[in-house]
Amino acid sequence: MFAPITLLTLLAAMSIFLAITQLVTIRQTRHWVSHSHQVIETTQALLGEVLSVESGQRGYLLTRDPHMLGAYEASKAALPALMTRLSDLVAASPEQRRRADQLMSMARQRVAISEMRVQLVQAGRIDEAGKVAWLSGNTSMEGARSAVNDLMAAENALLERRTEAADRAEWLSLIVAMVVSALALAGLAASIWSMAIANRRLAHEIGEREGAEAAQRESEALYRAIFANTADYLFVIDISDDGIFSVAELNPAFEQATGITTVAARGRDIREMTSRALADRFIGHYHAVIAAGRPVFAREVNRLPEGLRIWESIHVPVRNEQGRIDRIVGSARDVTEREQAEEQLRRAQRMEAIGHLTGGVAHDFNNLLQVIRGNLELIAADVADRPSAAQRLRNALHGADRAAQLTRQLLAFARRQPLEPKVVNLGRMVGDMADMLRRMLGESITVETIIADGLWNTLADPAQVESAVLNLAINARDAMPQGGPLSIEVDNARLERDAAQLGGDVEPGEYVLIAVRDTGHGMEPDVVARVFEPFFTTKADERGTGLGLSMVYGFVKQSNGHVQVDSEVGQGTVVKIFLPRAHQDETAAEPAVAAGPLEGRSEIILVVEDDDLVRASSVSLLHDLGYTCLHASDGAAALELLRAGVKVDLLFTDVVMPGPVRSRDLASEAQRLKPGLPVLFTSGYTEDSIVHDGRLDPGVQLLSKPYAREDLARKVRALLARARPVVLVVEDDPLVRMAAVDMIGALGFTVLQAADATSALTVLRGDGRVDVLFTDIGLPGMRGPELAQGAVALRPGLKVIFASGYAEPGAGAGVDGSVRLVKPYQQDELAEVLGVAMAS
Ligand SMILES: Nc1ncnc2c1ncn2[C@@H]1O[C@H](COP(=O)(O)OP(=O)(O)OP(=O)(O)O)[C@@H](O)[C@H]1O
Ligand SMILES: [Mg+2]
């Protein structure tokens, strides 16, 4: 860059120098030319004046007219000045000075001669004047002229030399100028070229710099966008030399969470910006960062405008060029919801684990209690005549019942109690309970029930709802030792997703809400967190078992509901139970089983139970009740018996059994082999095989262990009574047969069918239950009446119904108690004859 500038400067200086030299030379040349011209002109003028003096004096000499002396005098007067001038002009050249002197002396002589002549004429001495001659050749006019010529020739020669020198100098300067110009041009070209290169490099550098700047701008914009839009709370803290922590920058998320803005906070000591506690905590982190010299993680609970929030934060040191930590960049994240969800999950998992444990314990206890209870009841008859032993037996039975009650409560918590949900209107139920509650809670408690209009129905086990409300009411009473108001509110409720999430595992949707509210002493949050745990109680002196709310919890969860406790110390408590809405009408109350004798009539019961002791006690109890028992220790053995064709009137099976055949499969296979066979399950635990969605599968009959002799007697009797009678329909016309099967099935009977008498007899020879033979009279081959006789012979006591298209005299002959139905028959006619047949 500097080289071309130096070169150009040099060239410019040379050009200026050359120009000045040239100017000086030209001016000098011009001066010398003009000088030579002046010398020549002065010489010629001098010669001319001398000639004018001479011609003036000659004319006077001839004419003697004084007027002729005018020019003479004028020229004479001019001569001294010309001579002085000439002397001055040739002063620098000795040669020319010598010639000039010679000329001037000659001129002076000629003028002196002329003066002399004039004076002689004037003195009248004309002749003398004529005789005055020009003194020598020196003074002759030719001499003067030659002196003039010499002078002028010398001057011309001088001029020529000078002109030549000037020409040479001009040429030289021209050549130098051309060389300099060429050099200048080359220099210019070199400069232009180097400037072009420099330009290109500069453009490249500028381009690169612009690119880098654009990239920098882009990355800054990106960082700013991240800073502005991230949901994490970002903050930058400056640390002054004297250790003051001040705010440098806060991102919008931070501003929103804390209510502190960058504009208000920038540059200010953080102690001025927030509460003392928060500032101290943060400053503590910063000191830790400075001491450690690396990032520090922290978790803390901060009181913010939104309430108490849990933050997880990281504080990272930033060093300046001297290596001092002068900044801290921090990022925090609100983990409140996550931690709450984790806590809820942990709680749910803990409850689940406790549930499994209690469920398992209850199951085993129920089996043991069944053995104890069963045997105690079997001894009863033996000690009936010994009052003290009988009393001890009753005490032992009472103890076993108390234990059974406890295991039932544990099962309820473990969501394993057998529920019998029905569609109920909780408003009506709670209304019905009000009086009972008033009596039970005493006068100091004022019970108020608030039932919303248009209340939805719900699907729940009514007995369990009652027990839950009772438990809550007792808890409320216990919380108000001085008495007070207790309100039970029943209303429709819609749980939204947010509210549902509050409760953890509950589905949003429509529920019926029962809220039991008291104004008692309330609970601390840590008590609220544990109220559903089994055996958690704050009641002293064994006044509470801590199972009340556990049962409520288990029952509600098992019913796909949700339970929530809100309590404040000194204010009171409200427990809310949400049970799912049912869209069906209320289930009609089942007619009570007619009270009748509970003893067996030698019906055959197949008892399937893997526990030897339990099986032995069940079999003994059933024997005692008047039943005949077969027994098997697992499903496979039971199936073998059934397949062997033994007669069985009821299957009584444990739910949980070892072996490949599960109790549910055993039941269905048994019913396939023996249509209409009633099945009674028993369990110390509600198994998933018979419970779905928290309730027993439809049609499943369950007797929970441990059961009393009377429970067993009642249940077995009821099932046998309710067992669907089996009707064997014999009809050759397939369409007619199909219609008959449908109609009889619709009346609640189990229906078997045969197309002719032979197949009907095959069925009857088998061991399956058949209560009624419903046969056409005009069958191909063996006719109806003959079939009936054969059938009754095979199965004494079998009821017979003849169906015929026309009145056939003597059709019923030979079959006692047979009934006739004329085709086509109506459903009610069919019902009537079947009713008559079964009653007979
Ligand atoms: N309405 C209430 N007001 C205040 N505390 C209550 C209320 N309901 C329950 N609690 C607290 O919850 C604990 C557990 O209640 P829960 O009903 O499960 O057991 P319990 O009442 O102690 O015993 P149990 O019901 O088995 O007789 C109680 O001991 C009591 O501390
Ligand atoms: Mg209680």
Side-chain angles (χ1 to χ4, degrees):
M1 189 64 211
F2 289 106
I5 290 176
T6 319
L7 191 65
L8 280 176
T9 315
L10 214 64
L11 286 170
M14 273 174 80
S15 305
I16 292 166
F17 174 74
L18 277 174
I20 291 171
T21 327
Q22 190 63 21
L23 207 67
V24 170
T25 312
I26 289 168
R27 286 190 79 174
Q28 253 176 9
T29 310
R30 206 180 284 158
H31 170 73
W32 286 120
V33 170
S34 130
H35 181 266
S36 295
H37 282 299
Q38 280 176 24
V39 171
I40 290 165
E41 273 168 21
T42 311
T43 307
Q44 281 175 338
L46 188 72
L47 190 61
E49 292 303 332
V50 173
L51 286 177
S52 171
V53 169
E54 278 187 6
S55 60
Q57 128 315 113
R58 226 175 252 133
Y60 183 64
L61 212 63
L62 292 175
T63 63
R64 289 179 197 96
D65 182 357
H67 288 101
M68 295 299 273
L69 286 177
Y72 161 82
E73 288 295 342
S75 296
K76 201 173 72 164
L79 276 173
L82 287 170
M83 282 185 191
T84 311
R85 182 165 166 71
L86 185 63
S87 299
D88 287 347
L89 286 169
V90 298
S93 163
E95 278 291 302
Q96 289 293 75
R97 203 166 60 217
R98 190 183 49 77
R99 287 185 189 106
D101 285 347
Q102 196 182 346
L103 174 68
M104 283 189 294
S105 100
M106 229 160 17
R108 266 186 226 108
Q109 283 175 18
R110 301 235 7 149
V111 170
I113 291 170
S114 294
E115 275 178 342
M116 210 184 293
R117 280 179 170 180
V118 169
Q119 281 165 4
L120 285 175
V121 170
Q122 282 173 335
R125 294 154 66 184
I126 294 154
D127 296 339
E128 267 175 79
K131 282 179 196 153
V132 176
W134 307 98
L135 295 175
S136 66
N138 284 2
T139 56
S140 69
M141 226 27 228
E142 278 71 37
R145 277 201 182 93
S146 106
V148 167
N149 285 342
D150 284 353
L151 194 87
M152 290 202 326
E155 199 59 46
N156 274 332
L158 208 59
L159 184 63
E160 210 163 289
R161 272 203 316 280
R162 281 176 182 152
T163 310
E164 257 172 37
D167 280 354
R168 259 200 319 280
E170 252 170 45
W171 269 109
L172 195 66
S173 65
L174 186 69
I175 290 165
V176 170
M178 281 173 73
V179 170
V180 168
S181 299
L183 281 175
L185 275 175
L188 199 64
S191 305
I192 289 171
W193 184 68
S194 89
M195 272 166 80
I197 288 182
N199 239 11
R200 268 222 334 251
R201 196 176 308 138
L202 199 63
H204 182 68
E205 277 172 13
I206 289 173
E208 272 187 350
R209 198 177 312 139
E210 277 177 357
E213 278 171 6
Q216 171 105 4
R217 274 199 302 277
E218 227 168 80
S219 99
E220 270 172 17
L222 183 69
Y223 284 125
R224 192 126 285 279
I226 294 171
F227 189 77
N229 295 306
T230 180
D232 286 349
Y233 312 144
L234 304 181
F235 47 94
V236 182
I237 302 296
D238 281 339
I239 309 168
S240 71
D241 290 339
D242 45 359
I244 303 288
F245 299 100
S246 60
V247 175
E249 191 86 45
L250 309 170
N251 79 335
F254 188 102
E255 293 180 339
Q256 211 177 350
T258 58
I260 303 171
T261 63
T262 308
V263 175
R266 185 173 284 134
R268 289 178 61 184
D269 187 335
I270 65 163
R271 263 182 289 237
E272 297 168 17
M273 293 313 306
T274 175
S275 72
R276 204 192 153 84
L278 201 62
D280 283 351
R281 207 168 314 126
F282 271 85
I283 289 173
H285 299 327
Y286 304 152
H287 282 305
V289 171
I290 295 168
R294 57 186 158 71
V296 165
F297 293 88
R299 179 194 170 280
E300 68 239 331
V301 182
N302 296 325
R303 185 170 291 283
L304 297 175
E306 242 187 282
L308 284 180
R309 309 296 298 175
I310 307 168
W311 279 21
E312 262 180 15
S313 52
I314 175 171
H315 306 264
V316 182
V318 179
R319 292 176 191 276
N320 62 11
E321 284 171 357
Q322 289 78 47
R324 185 179 82 82
I325 296 173
D326 67 345
R327 269 193 167 180
I328 288 176
V329 175
S331 166
R333 181 170 289 188
D334 192 320
V335 295
T336 316
E337 273 77 25
R338 192 189 75 199
E339 292 213 348
Q340 278 171 355
E342 285 170 357
E343 177 54 32
Q344 262 175 14
L345 186 68
R346 267 197 298 279
R347 207 175 290 165
Q349 284 170 339
R350 202 173 65 223
M351 294 295 264
E352 193 70 28
I354 302 174
H356 278 300
L357 182 71
T358 47
V361 170
H363 171 256
D364 290 353
F365 261 83
N366 281 341
N367 271 343
L368 297 173
L369 285 170
Q370 183 55 48
V371 177
I372 296 168
R373 221 187 175 291
N375 284 296
L376 287 175
E377 286 189 312
L378 287 166
I379 301 169
D382 302 340
V383 298
D385 53 345
R386 288 161 52 199
S388 65
Q391 181 55 44
R392 285 198 193 104
L393 200 68
R394 276 196 296 280
N395 290 347
L397 271 171
H398 184 63
D401 284 344
R402 291 262 313 269
Q405 164 72 12
L406 196 65
T407 52
R408 247 197 309 282
Q409 286 173 323
L410 290 178
L411 276 185
F413 167 71
R415 308 182 211 173
R416 293 291 187 185
Q417 65 180 326
L419 292 181
E420 286 184 58
K422 296 193 172 62
V423 179
V424 284
N425 187 290
L426 293 181
R428 192 185 44 67
M429 259 190 68
V430 170
D432 290 349
M433 282 181 78
D435 274 346
M436 184 265 284
L437 285 174
R438 283 189 192 103
R439 276 197 304 278
M440 200 185 75
L441 300 177
E443 279 176 1
S444 63
I445 307 289
T446 45
V447 179
E448 185 193 12
T449 53
I450 308 156
I451 317 288
D453 292 336
L455 193 71
W456 298 327
N457 285 342
T458 184
L459 185 69
D461 185 326
Q464 295 304 322
V465 176
E466 264 187 28
S467 139
V469 172
L470 210 62
N471 262 304
L472 299 182
I474 291 171
N475 279 350
R477 181 201 62 192
D478 291 350
M480 300 188 288
Q482 316 301 329
L486 159 69
S487 85
I488 307 177
E489 195 183 328
V490 189
D491 201 351
N492 298 335
R494 274 193 185 83
L495 286 186
E496 305 295 338
R497 180 152 291 284
D498 279 356
Q501 272 167 354
L502 265 179
D505 53 349
V506 74
E507 280 292 307
E510 293 178 332
Y511 291 84
V512 178
L513 162 71
I514 309 178
V516 179
R517 194 184 305 269
D518 65 55
T519 52
H521 53 60
M523 289 175 260
E524 295 283 353
D526 58 327
V527 173
V528 174
R530 300 189 58 193
V531 282
F532 295 128
E533 285 178 21
F535 303 113
F536 174 79
T537 178
T538 58
K539 293 174 189 168
D541 311 330
E542 297 186 354
R543 282 205 307 120
T545 59
L547 284 170
L549 286 177
S550 313
M551 278 165 57
V552 172
Y553 174 84
F555 153 66
V556 174
K557 288 281 164 198
Q558 201 178 342
S559 307
N560 298 326
H562 171 53
V563 56
Q564 187 180 316
V565 177
D566 296 318
S567 187
E568 218 163 298
V569 174
Q571 300 297 311
T573 302
V574 52
V575 182
K576 294 177 181 168
I577 293 178
F578 297 86
L579 291 168
R581 175 185 184 182
H583 289 274
Q584 302 88 333
D585 290 338
E586 262 194 286
T587 315
E590 268 184 29
V593 176
L598 293 178
E599 281 71 40
R601 300 172 214 154
S602 301
E603 288 96 334
I604 303 167
I605 297 179
L606 173 55
V607 179
V608 192
E609 166 69 61
D610 59 308
D611 188 315
D612 295 342
L613 289 174
V614 176
R615 189 173 65 245
S617 95
S618 311
V619 168
S620 305
L621 280 172
L622 287 167
H623 264 304
D624 230 32
L625 287 165
Y627 294 100
T628 307
C629 287
L630 296 172
H631 51 88
S633 62
D634 60 21
L639 266 186
E640 237 170 78
L641 281 173
L642 288 165
R643 289 198 180 116
V646 298
K647 183 176 181 318
V648 172
D649 294 303
L650 184 139
L651 173 65
F652 181 46
T653 177
D654 191 16
V655 177
V656 196
M657 280 186 306
V661 182
R662 296 180 308 143
S663 56
R664 197 64 210 261
D665 301 333
L666 168 66
S668 53
E669 181 62 9
Q671 282 176 327
R672 197 186 64 74
L673 289 166
K674 298 186 183 300
L677 178 73
V679 179
L680 177 59
F681 289 97
T682 180
S683 178
Y685 191 86
T686 320
E687 291 305 315
D688 293 342
S689 54
I690 55 168
V691 174
H692 289 100
D693 284 341
R695 65 198 63 139
L696 283 176
D697 290 349
V700 167
Q701 295 295 326
L702 180 76
L703 181 66
S704 295
K705 287 183 204 167
Y707 44 82
R709 178 178 183 273
E710 187 167 331
D711 297 335
L712 176 65
R714 205 175 289 286
K715 199 88 190 181
V716 169
R717 206 56 259 155
L719 272 181
L720 283 170
R722 249 193 282 151
R724 284 157 57 112
V726 181
V727 179
L728 174 60
V729 176
V730 192
E731 168 66 61
D732 58 325
D733 183 327
L735 287 178
V736 177
R737 187 171 69 242
M738 215 185 295
V741 167
D742 284 350
M743 287 167 89
I744 296 169
L747 287 169
F749 294 87
T750 302
V751 189
L752 305 176
Q753 47 184 310
D756 54 37
T758 322
S759 5
L761 284 172
T762 313
V763 173
L764 288 164
R765 268 186 218 108
D767 66 329
R769 174 175 172 179
V770 179
D771 298 281
V772 180
L773 175 69
F774 184 93
T775 179
D776 188 23
I777 290 178
L779 288 171
M782 191 191 293
R783 287 168 50 80
E786 288 157 279
L787 165 66
Q789 277 168 2
V792 173
L794 279 170
R795 303 264 179 132
L798 184 74
K799 315 286 184 288
V800 179
I801 298 171
F802 290 110
S804 71
Y806 46 90
E808 277 175 290
V815 184
D816 286 344
S818 64
V819 189
R820 280 196 50 190
L821 185 64
V822 179
K823 291 187 206 168
Y825 42 80
Q826 305 291 319
Q827 181 96 11
D828 48 353
E829 293 169 308
L830 189 63
E832 197 187 323
V833 292
L834 278 167
V836 170
M838 291 304 296
S840 61

